[in-house]
Structure formats: structure tokens, C-alpha cells
Coordinates of all heavy atoms in Angstrom, one line a residue:
G1081 N 2.7 12.2 4.2 CA 1.5 11.7 3.5 C 1.8 11.5 2.1 O 2.9 11.8 1.6
V1082 N 0.8 11.0 1.4 CA 0.9 10.8 -0.1 C -0.3 11.6 -0.7 O -1.4 11.5 -0.2 CB 0.7 9.3 -0.4 CG1 0.7 9.1 -1.9 CG2 1.9 8.5 0.2
W1083 N 0.0 12.3 -1.8 CA -1.1 13.1 -2.4 C -1.0 12.7 -3.9 O 0.0 12.6 -4.5 CB -0.7 14.5 -2.2 CG -1.7 15.5 -2.7 CD1 -2.9 15.9 -2.1 CD2 -1.7 16.3 -3.9 NE1 -3.5 16.9 -2.8 CE2 -2.8 17.2 -4.0 CE3 -0.7 16.4 -5.0 CZ2 -3.0 18.0 -5.0 CZ3 -1.0 17.3 -6.0 CH2 -2.1 18.1 -6.0
Q1084 N -2.2 12.5 -4.5 CA -2.4 12.2 -5.9 C -3.4 13.2 -6.5 O -4.3 13.6 -5.9 CB -2.9 10.8 -6.1 CG -1.9 9.7 -5.5 CD -2.4 8.3 -5.8 OE1 -1.7 7.6 -6.4 NE2 -3.6 8.0 -5.4
H1085 N -3.1 13.5 -7.8 CA -4.0 14.4 -8.5 C -4.0 13.9 -10.0 O -2.9 13.8 -10.6 CB -3.5 15.8 -8.4 CG -4.5 16.8 -8.9 ND1 -4.9 16.9 -10.2 CD2 -5.1 17.9 -8.2 CE1 -5.7 18.0 -10.3 NE2 -5.8 18.5 -9.1
T1086 N -5.2 13.7 -10.6 CA -5.2 13.4 -12.0 C -5.0 14.7 -12.8 O -5.0 15.8 -12.3 CB -6.6 12.8 -12.4 OG1 -7.6 13.7 -12.0 CG2 -6.8 11.5 -11.7
A1087 N -4.7 14.5 -14.1 CA -4.5 15.6 -15.0 C -5.7 16.6 -14.9 O -6.8 16.2 -14.9 CB -4.3 15.1 -16.4
G1088 N -5.3 17.9 -14.8 CA -6.3 18.9 -14.7 C -5.8 20.1 -13.9 O -4.6 20.2 -13.6
V1089 N -6.7 20.9 -13.4 CA -6.3 22.2 -12.7 C -7.1 22.2 -11.4 O -8.3 21.9 -11.3 CB -6.6 23.4 -13.5 CG1 -6.3 24.7 -12.8 CG2 -5.9 23.4 -14.9
S1090 N -6.4 22.7 -10.3 CA -7.0 22.9 -9.0 C -6.3 24.0 -8.3 O -5.1 24.3 -8.6 CB -7.1 21.7 -8.2 OG -5.8 21.2 -7.8
T1091 N -7.0 24.7 -7.4 CA -6.3 25.7 -6.5 C -6.3 25.2 -5.1 O -7.1 24.3 -4.7 CB -7.1 27.0 -6.6 OG1 -8.5 26.8 -6.2 CG2 -7.0 27.6 -8.0
D1092 N -5.4 25.7 -4.3 CA -5.3 25.2 -2.9 C -4.7 26.4 -2.1 O -4.0 27.3 -2.6 CB -4.3 24.0 -2.9 CG -4.5 23.2 -1.6 OD1 -5.4 23.5 -0.8 OD2 -3.7 22.2 -1.5
V1093 N -4.9 26.3 -0.8 CA -4.2 27.1 0.2 C -3.3 26.1 0.9 O -3.8 25.2 1.6 CB -5.1 27.8 1.2 CG1 -4.3 28.6 2.2 CG2 -6.0 28.8 0.4
E1094 N -2.0 26.3 0.8 CA -1.0 25.3 1.3 C -0.7 25.3 2.8 O -0.9 26.3 3.4 CB 0.3 25.5 0.5 CG 0.2 25.4 -1.0 CD -0.2 24.1 -1.5 OE1 -0.1 23.0 -0.8 OE2 -0.7 24.0 -2.6
A1095 N -0.3 24.1 3.2 CA 0.3 24.0 4.6 C 1.8 24.2 4.4 O 2.3 24.2 3.3 CB 0.0 22.6 5.1
D1096 N 2.5 24.3 5.5 CA 4.0 24.4 5.5 C 4.5 23.0 5.2 O 4.5 22.2 6.1 CB 4.4 25.0 6.8 CG 5.8 25.6 6.7 OD1 6.3 25.9 5.6 OD2 6.4 25.8 7.8
E1097 N 5.0 22.7 4.0 CA 5.4 21.4 3.7 C 6.6 21.3 2.8 O 7.0 22.2 2.1 CB 4.2 20.6 3.0 CG 4.0 21.0 1.6 CD 2.9 20.2 0.9 OE1 1.8 20.2 1.3 OE2 3.3 19.4 0.0
V1098 N 7.2 20.1 2.8 CA 8.3 19.7 1.9 C 7.7 18.5 1.2 O 7.1 17.6 1.8 CB 9.6 19.4 2.6 CG1 10.6 18.8 1.7 CG2 10.1 20.5 3.4
F1099 N 7.9 18.5 -0.2 CA 7.4 17.3 -0.9 C 8.4 16.8 -1.9 O 9.3 17.6 -2.3 CB 6.1 17.7 -1.6 CG 6.2 18.7 -2.7 CD1 6.4 18.3 -4.0 CD2 6.0 20.0 -2.4 CE1 6.5 19.3 -5.0 CE2 6.0 21.0 -3.4 CZ 6.3 20.6 -4.7
V1100 N 8.2 15.6 -2.3 CA 9.0 15.0 -3.4 C 8.0 14.4 -4.4 O 7.1 13.6 -4.0 CB 9.9 13.9 -2.9 CG1 10.7 13.2 -4.0 CG2 10.9 14.4 -1.8
V1101 N 8.2 14.7 -5.7 CA 7.3 14.2 -6.7 C 7.8 12.8 -7.1 O 9.0 12.6 -7.4 CB 7.3 15.1 -8.0 CG1 6.5 14.5 -9.1 CG2 6.8 16.5 -7.6
L1102 N 6.9 11.8 -7.0 CA 7.2 10.4 -7.3 C 7.0 10.1 -8.8 O 7.7 9.4 -9.4 CB 6.4 9.5 -6.5 CG 6.6 9.6 -5.0 CD1 5.6 8.6 -4.3 CD2 8.0 9.3 -4.6
S1103 N 5.9 10.7 -9.3 CA 5.5 10.5 -10.7 C 4.6 11.6 -11.2 O 4.0 12.3 -10.4 CB 4.8 9.1 -10.9 OG 3.6 9.1 -10.2
G1104 N 4.6 11.8 -12.5 CA 3.8 12.8 -13.1 C 4.5 14.2 -13.3 O 5.7 14.3 -12.9
R1105 N 3.8 15.1 -13.9 CA 4.4 16.5 -14.1 C 3.3 17.5 -13.8 O 2.1 17.3 -14.1 CB 4.9 16.6 -15.5 CG 6.0 15.7 -15.8 CD 6.8 16.1 -17.0 NE 7.9 15.2 -17.2 CZ 9.1 15.2 -16.6 NH1 9.3 16.2 -15.7 NH2 10.0 14.4 -16.8
A1106 N 3.8 18.7 -13.3 CA 2.8 19.8 -13.0 C 3.5 21.1 -13.0 O 4.7 21.2 -12.8 CB 2.1 19.5 -11.6
T1107 N 2.7 22.1 -13.2 CA 3.1 23.5 -13.1 C 2.4 24.0 -11.8 O 1.2 23.9 -11.8 CB 2.8 24.4 -14.3 OG1 3.4 23.8 -15.4 CG2 3.2 25.8 -14.1
I1108 N 3.2 24.6 -10.9 CA 2.6 25.1 -9.7 C 2.8 26.6 -9.7 O 3.9 27.1 -9.6 CB 3.2 24.5 -8.4 CG1 3.2 23.0 -8.4 CG2 2.5 25.0 -7.1 CD1 4.1 22.4 -7.4
E1109 N 1.7 27.4 -9.8 CA 1.8 28.9 -9.8 C 1.5 29.3 -8.3 O 0.4 29.0 -7.8 CB 0.8 29.5 -10.7 CG 1.1 29.1 -12.2 CD -0.1 29.5 -13.1 OE1 -0.2 30.7 -13.4 OE2 -0.8 28.6 -13.5
V1110 N 2.4 30.0 -7.7 CA 2.2 30.5 -6.4 C 1.9 32.0 -6.5 O 2.7 32.8 -7.0 CB 3.5 30.3 -5.5 CG1 3.3 30.8 -4.1 CG2 3.9 28.8 -5.5
T1111 N 0.7 32.4 -5.9 CA 0.3 33.8 -6.0 C 1.4 34.6 -5.3 O 1.8 34.3 -4.2 CB -1.0 34.0 -5.3 OG1 -2.0 33.2 -6.0 CG2 -1.5 35.4 -5.3
E1112 N 1.8 35.7 -5.9 CA 2.9 36.6 -5.4 C 4.2 35.8 -5.1 O 4.9 36.1 -4.2 CB 2.4 37.3 -4.2 CG 1.2 38.2 -4.5 CD 0.8 39.0 -3.2 OE1 1.5 39.2 -2.3 OE2 -0.4 39.4 -3.2
G1113 N 4.4 34.8 -5.9 CA 5.6 34.0 -5.7 C 6.1 33.3 -7.0 O 5.6 33.8 -8.1
P1114 N 6.9 32.3 -7.0 CA 7.4 31.7 -8.2 C 6.4 30.8 -8.9 O 5.4 30.4 -8.3 CB 8.6 30.9 -7.6 CG 8.2 30.5 -6.3 CD 7.4 31.7 -5.8
T1115 N 6.8 30.4 -10.1 CA 6.1 29.3 -10.8 C 7.0 28.2 -10.9 O 8.2 28.3 -11.3 CB 5.6 29.8 -12.2 OG1 4.7 30.8 -12.1 CG2 5.0 28.6 -13.0
L1116 N 6.6 27.0 -10.4 CA 7.4 25.8 -10.3 C 7.0 24.8 -11.4 O 5.8 24.5 -11.5 CB 7.4 25.2 -8.9 CG 7.6 26.1 -7.7 CD1 7.2 25.4 -6.4 CD2 9.0 26.6 -7.7
E1117 N 8.0 24.3 -12.1 CA 7.7 23.1 -13.0 C 8.3 21.9 -12.3 O 9.5 21.9 -12.0 CB 8.4 23.4 -14.3 CG 8.0 24.6 -15.1 CD 6.6 24.4 -15.7 OE1 6.1 23.3 -15.9 OE2 6.0 25.5 -16.0
V1118 N 7.5 20.9 -11.9 CA 7.9 19.8 -11.2 C 7.7 18.5 -11.9 O 6.7 18.4 -12.6 CB 7.3 19.7 -9.8 CG1 7.7 21.0 -9.0 CG2 5.8 19.6 -9.8
G1119 N 8.5 17.5 -11.7 CA 8.4 16.2 -12.2 C 9.1 15.2 -11.3 O 9.6 15.5 -10.2
P1120 N 9.2 13.9 -11.7 CA 9.7 12.9 -10.9 C 11.1 13.2 -10.3 O 12.0 13.7 -11.0 CB 9.8 11.7 -11.8 CG 8.8 11.9 -12.8 CD 8.8 13.4 -13.0
G1121 N 11.2 13.1 -9.0 CA 12.5 13.3 -8.3 C 12.6 14.8 -7.8 O 13.5 15.0 -7.0
D1122 N 11.8 15.7 -8.2 CA 11.9 17.1 -7.8 C 11.4 17.2 -6.3 O 10.4 16.6 -5.9 CB 11.1 18.0 -8.7 CG 11.7 18.2 -10.0 OD1 12.9 18.0 -10.2 OD2 11.0 18.6 -11.0
V1123 N 12.1 18.1 -5.6 CA 11.8 18.4 -4.2 C 11.3 19.9 -4.2 O 11.8 20.7 -4.8 CB 13.0 18.3 -3.3 CG1 12.7 18.7 -1.9 CG2 13.5 16.8 -3.3
G1124 N 10.2 20.1 -3.5 CA 9.6 21.4 -3.4 C 9.3 21.8 -1.9 O 9.1 20.9 -1.1
I1125 N 9.2 23.1 -1.7 CA 8.8 23.6 -0.4 C 7.7 24.6 -0.6 O 7.8 25.5 -1.4 CB 10.0 24.3 0.3 CG1 11.2 23.3 0.6 CG2 9.6 25.0 1.6 CD1 12.4 24.0 1.1
L1126 N 6.6 24.4 0.2 CA 5.5 25.3 0.1 C 5.3 25.9 1.5 O 5.3 25.2 2.5 CB 4.2 24.6 -0.4 CG 4.3 24.0 -1.8 CD1 3.1 23.1 -2.1 CD2 4.4 25.2 -2.8
E1127 N 5.1 27.2 1.5 CA 4.9 27.9 2.8 C 3.4 27.9 3.2 O 2.5 28.0 2.3 CB 5.4 29.3 2.7 CG 6.9 29.4 2.5 CD 7.4 30.8 2.5 OE1 6.6 31.8 2.8 OE2 8.6 31.0 2.2
A1128 N 3.2 27.8 4.5 CA 1.8 27.9 5.0 C 1.1 29.1 4.5 O 1.7 30.2 4.6 CB 1.8 27.8 6.5
G1129 N -0.1 29.0 4.0 CA -0.9 30.1 3.6 C -0.7 30.5 2.1 O -1.5 31.3 1.6
A1130 N 0.2 29.9 1.5 CA 0.5 30.2 0.0 C -0.7 29.7 -0.8 O -1.2 28.6 -0.6 CB 1.7 29.5 -0.5
V1131 N -1.2 30.6 -1.7 CA -2.3 30.3 -2.6 C -1.7 29.8 -3.8 O -0.9 30.5 -4.5 CB -3.2 31.5 -2.8 CG1 -4.3 31.1 -3.8 CG2 -3.8 32.0 -1.5
T1132 N -2.1 28.6 -4.2 CA -1.4 28.0 -5.4 C -2.5 27.5 -6.4 O -3.6 27.2 -6.1 CB -0.6 26.7 -5.0 OG1 -1.4 25.8 -4.3 CG2 0.6 27.1 -4.2
R1133 N -2.0 27.5 -7.7 CA -2.8 26.9 -8.8 C -2.0 25.8 -9.4 O -0.9 26.0 -9.9 CB -3.1 28.0 -9.8 CG -3.9 27.4 -11.0 CD -4.0 28.6 -12.1 NE -4.4 28.1 -13.3 CZ -5.7 28.0 -13.8 NH1 -6.7 28.4 -13.0 NH2 -5.9 27.6 -15.0
W1134 N -2.5 24.6 -9.3 CA -1.8 23.4 -9.8 C -2.4 23.0 -11.2 O -3.6 22.7 -11.3 CB -2.0 22.2 -8.9 CG -1.3 22.3 -7.6 CD1 -1.6 23.2 -6.5 CD2 -0.2 21.6 -7.1 NE1 -0.8 23.0 -5.5 CE2 0.1 22.0 -5.8 CE3 0.6 20.6 -7.7 CZ2 1.2 21.5 -5.1 CZ3 1.6 20.1 -7.0 CH2 1.9 20.5 -5.7
T1135 N -1.5 23.1 -12.2 CA -1.9 22.5 -13.5 C -1.1 21.2 -13.7 O 0.1 21.2 -13.9 CB -1.5 23.5 -14.6 OG1 -2.2 24.8 -14.4 CG2 -2.0 23.0 -16.0
V1136 N -1.9 20.1 -13.5 CA -1.3 18.8 -13.6 C -1.3 18.3 -15.0 O -2.4 18.1 -15.6 CB -2.0 17.8 -12.6 CG1 -1.4 16.4 -12.7 CG2 -1.9 18.4 -11.2
H1137 N -0.2 18.1 -15.6 CA -0.1 17.7 -17.0 C -0.1 16.2 -17.2 O -0.7 15.7 -18.2 CB 1.3 18.2 -17.6 CG 1.5 19.7 -17.4 ND1 0.7 20.7 -18.0 CD2 2.3 20.4 -16.6 CE1 1.1 21.9 -17.6 NE2 2.1 21.7 -16.7
E1138 N 0.4 15.5 -16.2 CA 0.4 14.0 -16.2 C 0.1 13.6 -14.8 O 0.6 14.3 -13.8 CB 1.8 13.4 -16.5 CG 2.3 13.7 -17.9 CD 3.8 13.3 -18.1 OE1 4.3 12.6 -17.2 OE2 4.4 13.7 -19.1
D1139 N -0.8 12.7 -14.6 CA -1.2 12.3 -13.2 C 0.0 12.3 -12.3 O 1.0 11.8 -12.5 CB -1.8 10.9 -13.2 CG -3.2 10.8 -14.0 OD1 -3.6 11.9 -14.4 OD2 -3.7 9.7 -14.0
L1140 N -0.2 13.1 -11.2 CA 0.8 13.4 -10.2 C 0.7 12.6 -8.9 O -0.4 12.5 -8.4 CB 0.8 14.9 -9.9 CG 2.0 15.4 -9.1 CD1 3.2 15.6 -10.0 CD2 1.6 16.7 -8.4
R1141 N 1.8 12.1 -8.4 CA 1.8 11.5 -7.1 C 3.0 12.0 -6.4 O 4.1 12.1 -6.9 CB 1.9 10.0 -7.3 CG 1.9 9.2 -5.9 CD 1.9 7.7 -6.3 NE 2.1 6.9 -5.1 CZ 1.1 6.4 -4.4 NH1 -0.1 6.5 -4.8 NH2 1.3 5.6 -3.3
K1142 N 2.8 12.5 -5.1 CA 3.9 13.1 -4.4 C 3.8 12.6 -2.9 O 2.7 12.2 -2.5 CB 3.9 14.6 -4.4 CG 2.8 15.3 -3.6 CD 2.9 16.8 -3.5 CE 1.7 17.3 -2.7 NZ 1.9 18.7 -2.4
V1143 N 4.9 12.6 -2.2 CA 4.9 12.4 -0.8 C 5.3 13.7 -0.2 O 6.1 14.5 -0.7 CB 5.9 11.2 -0.4 CG1 5.5 9.9 -0.8 CG2 7.3 11.5 -0.8
Y1144 N 4.8 13.9 1.0 CA 5.0 15.2 1.7 C 5.2 15.0 3.2 O 4.7 14.1 3.8 CB 3.9 16.2 1.4 CG 2.5 15.8 1.9 CD1 2.2 16.2 3.2 CD2 1.7 15.0 1.2 CE1 1.0 15.9 3.7 CE2 0.5 14.6 1.7 CZ 0.1 15.1 3.0 OH -1.1 14.7 3.6
V1145 N 5.8 16.0 3.8 CA 6.0 16.1 5.2 C 5.6 17.5 5.6 O 6.1 18.5 5.0 CB 7.5 15.8 5.6 CG1 7.6 16.0 7.1 CG2 7.9 14.4 5.2
L1146 N 4.7 17.6 6.6 CA 4.3 18.9 7.1 C 5.4 19.4 8.0 O 5.8 18.6 8.9 CB 2.9 18.9 7.7 CG 1.8 18.5 6.8 CD1 0.5 18.5 7.6 CD2 1.7 19.4 5.6
R1147 N 5.7 20.7 7.9 CA 6.8 21.3 8.8 C 6.1 22.1 9.9 O 5.0 22.5 9.7 CB 7.7 22.2 8.0 CG 8.4 21.4 6.9 CD 9.3 22.3 6.1 NE 8.8 23.6 5.8 CZ 9.6 24.6 5.4 NH1 10.9 24.5 5.4 NH2 9.1 25.8 5.1
G1148 N 6.8 22.2 11.0 CA 6.3 23.1 12.1 C 5.5 22.4 13.0 O 4.7 22.5 13.8

């Protein structure tokens, strides 16, 4: 799928996914996990059930594939 988010902050409970950032920049804080700084070309993996806080610095667009 494709996911877009304008600049701002949101929280989410993640699905098991792999994603690639197409444009924009964000900081992803994973509760009891790492903090990720992502931008164009970055690949990330999120585990199902992970609670995240997304601080989107520049409008973000990513493509993702759900695993499992």
C-alpha cells in the first residue's frame, strides 16, 4: 500500500510491515524499542503490535508491504 502523512504528530499500533520512504522525513519512536530517523530511500521494519509515535517533519509518503 501507500501511506501519506502531513507534517505533525500521530500515534499508531503497527501491523507487521516492511516500508520504504519515498519522500519526506520523520522520527518514529517505538515504545520499548528504538527511535528511527527516516527519510527518502530508507527501509524500515515494524513489528505487529508495536506502539509508535510518528513525528513527521516534512510531509511523508511511504510504500509498505504487510508481512505474515
